[in-house]
Amino acid sequence: MSHRQLHLNVNLLHSGVYASAWRLPESDPRACFDVGHYVRVAQIAERGKLDAIFLADTPAITDRIDYRSFMSMEPTIVLASVAAATTHIGLIATASTTYNEPYNIARRFATLDLASGGRAGWNAVTTADATASRNFGLANVLEHKARYDRAKEFAEVVHALWDSWEDDAFVGDKVTARFVDTSKVHPIAHRGAHYSVAGPLNVPRSPQGRPVTVQAGGSSDGRDLAAAQAEAVFTLAQTIDEGVAYARDLRARAVAYGRASDSIVILPGLATVIGSTEAEAKRRQDELWNLVPIEYSLARLAGTLQVDPAILDLDKPLPDLPLPANANHTMFKGTVALARRGNLTVRQLLRALGGGVGHRIIVGTPEQIADDIEAWFQAGAADGFNLMPDVLPTGLEVFVDSVVPILQRRGLFRRDYAGTTLRDHLGLPRPASRFAQREAGSASA
């Protein structure tokens, strides 16, 4: 059995995971609109030998932009700039299956994959947001199951398009005037419930074969999509037990789809606040928390729970709430579970969420952060983490310079990259084109 390798991505949330991150003295308020900021963070991540940077995305203004910075620019264009300024770090961008067409997404990510030498990943999301819906001519959000049915077919089409060129389809022989071997470029001829796509793609395969498919979602429909299509999953877990239960469930679902149980890399979100002492880390957390207006945090929480903020009493526990039909089920369930587990008042919950984060927050010294990461990794609750530093770039610099060396000394994390592609970093196989496999099968028949 091969030695398990810890995986670490950084979820590059503009100025940092805390809503107040942009207000700190070292922060640049314009960072979210500055491609140079994303390049600098990626270069720090690459210096730490991290697997990838991860860009979230919502094609709408869904936050209080009068108060905080936000995910603004289209992520694949940002990552194309990052690709030119880096050599190894993986580049994962979010793109919605609800507000795009499969051919466009397949082409865009295949292009990023070629431009980066095989470092691209697509985070497939279904987007449960009414504001985004209205930007694409839809009056309402699609129903939860319908979004996932559409997403599953969408991913199938994208994968088929990425496979539509065999690895040796490009010839480029000047003497014979043969540019492409068209017998190795295949139409996909897809006709399904939601999409009709002829293919082939007009972009050849990259050094890693095709981009890595990432999925973020913990609902039953989301887990089913991940089990069928994903190679890495960004998830939410607040305790080791939750993480272990999620991993077991997802791996069992993958096996039911005929996949190996270890074919998916599971990466819970982890927000970090690091200090040279525990007291210093807590002071930093207090500073960040005190700079978040309570009305902002309350509005953010109400949005996650899909309720009117007026029903949330700051000094009482959460009221009983039904699961919203078309909200983000993962964030809803994670937030409610955190509140119930600690019997927290709304005010205490807001602090535990860092003013509306939703993912687990750990506050402490580099040694304490490393201990926590190791405990989750060894328990099988995670294959690694999507890191969300409190402030960027400073919070990531501290992680890279103080936590990564501890993980390396313990033999948990690489000291250097073993390969150049995102698949190399994640320990994922390079997939062969399904059409090449089909041709080989018919030739041997």
Side-chain angles (χ1 to χ4, degrees):
M1 181 180 169
S2 60
H3 175 67
R4 267 180 88 219
Q5 169 77 64
L6 178 70
H7 299 290
L8 296 171
N9 296 343
V10 58
N11 188 0
L12 209 170
L13 290 165
H14 39 85
S15 297
V17 72
Y18 271 82
S20 55
W22 67 278
R23 298 182 62 192
L24 262 59
E26 69 262 31
S27 295
D28 173 11
R30 278 191 62 84
C32 64
F33 310 126
D34 177 13
V35 171
H37 168 72
Y38 293 85
V39 169
R40 286 188 290 276
V41 174
Q43 289 172 335
I44 294 165
E46 187 166 84
R47 177 163 61 79
K49 314 302 178 187
L50 270 59
D51 295 72
I53 63 168
F54 176 103
L55 293 188
D57 188 52
T58 301
I61 292 175
T62 59
D63 211 334
R64 285 278 305 274
I65 64 168
D66 59 333
Y67 172 68
R68 79 170 293 179
S69 54
F70 59 105
M71 298 309 295
S72 171
M73 297 184 291
E74 201 286 319
T76 58
I77 295 175
V78 172
L79 291 181
S81 295
V82 171
T86 54
T87 56
H88 283 75
I89 193 79
L91 310 165
I92 301 171
T94 298
S96 172
T97 58
T98 305
Y99 307 121
N100 285 291
E101 290 294 323
Y103 196 94
N104 285 345
I105 291 300
R107 186 181 185 215
R108 193 185 310 166
F109 279 85
T111 301
L112 180 62
D113 211 26
L114 281 178
S116 63
R119 294 188 278 143
W122 168 42
N123 177 42
V125 299
T126 62
T127 314
D129 186 83
T131 309
S133 291
R134 290 192 289 272
N135 286 341
F136 293 89
L138 300 173
N140 299 300
V141 175
L142 289 177
E143 185 268 325
H144 192 275
K145 188 172 188 314
R147 287 202 314 274
Y148 277 96
D149 286 345
R150 177 185 167 112
K152 193 178 287 188
E153 186 181 341
F154 191 112
E156 287 168 1
V157 175
V158 168
H159 289 172
L161 288 166
W162 285 339
D163 279 354
S164 62
W165 287 59
E166 295 184 39
D167 286 315
D168 54 353
F170 174 73
V171 180
D173 190 322
K174 296 178 181 180
V175 175
T176 63
R178 197 172 198 206
F179 191 68
V180 169
D181 180 348
T182 53
S183 72
K184 296 186 175 183
V185 180
H186 305 273
I188 68 167
H190 176 89
R191 297 188 73 84
H194 303 280
Y195 301 103
S196 176
V197 181
L201 195 61
N202 62 349
V203 181
R205 280 161 74 84
S206 83
Q208 68 170 350
R210 65 187 191 209
V212 173
T213 301
V214 183
Q215 198 266 341
S219 68
S220 184
D221 290 330
R223 294 181 195 205
D224 207 46
L225 174 61
Q229 304 285 1
E231 296 165 290
V233 173
F234 176 28
T235 184
L236 185 152
Q238 291 282 353
T239 68
I240 285 180
D241 287 347
E242 280 181 22
V244 169
Y246 177 88
R248 285 178 179 159
D249 178 64
L250 188 64
R251 297 195 195 288
R253 291 178 191 236
V255 169
Y257 275 103
R259 303 178 65 192
S261 64
D262 61 353
S263 58
I264 304 173
V265 179
I266 298 173
L267 304 164
L270 179 63
T272 56
V273 184
I274 308 171
S276 56
T277 65
E278 195 173 341
E280 183 184 301
K282 287 181 175 172
R283 276 197 302 274
R284 183 173 172 92
Q285 183 189 30
D286 287 342
E287 180 184 11
L288 286 161
W289 167 245
N290 290 332
L291 287 171
V292 182
I294 196 76
E295 62 272 16
Y296 168 81
S297 299
L298 197 61
R300 181 93 180 227
L301 175 63
T304 298
L305 301 175
Q306 295 284 285
V307 298
D308 184 334
I311 75 163
L312 301 175
D313 187 321
L314 284 171
D315 297 306
K316 290 183 180 175
L318 283 182
D320 288 333
L321 299 169
L323 180 67
N326 289 321
N328 184 322
H329 287 184
T330 305
M331 295 302 284
F332 177 93
K333 289 178 180 177
T335 300
V336 172
L338 178 62
R340 301 288 184 240
R341 190 166 50 247
N343 195 29
L344 304 179
T345 65
V346 169
R347 192 188 305 274
Q348 290 168 330
L349 175 62
L350 292 175
R351 186 180 175 93
L353 291 169
V357 178
H359 288 277
R360 191 166 68 96
I361 303 172
I362 181 164
V363 182
T365 65
E367 198 81 25
Q368 288 172 318
I369 306 292
D371 288 346
D372 181 271
I373 288 172
E374 182 173 8
W376 279 64
F377 181 64
Q378 301 293 16
D383 295 312
F385 293 93
N386 236 8
L387 300 170
M388 296 181 285
D390 52 0
V391 181
L392 288 168
T394 55
L396 180 62
E397 281 182 309
V398 173
F399 188 95
V400 162
D401 292 335
S402 64
V403 180
V404 166
I406 298 171
L407 297 171
Q408 289 170 333
R409 285 196 299 273
R410 295 181 186 181
L412 297 170
F413 193 64
R414 67 174 72 87
R415 291 183 180 272
D416 205 352
Y417 292 108
T420 59
T421 71
L422 180 54
R423 289 184 180 279
D424 291 335
H425 305 341
L426 293 173
L428 294 169
R430 185 186 190 281
S433 162
R434 70 190 67 186
F435 296 100
Q437 292 170 316
R438 198 173 297 166
E439 295 298 319
S442 60
S444 63

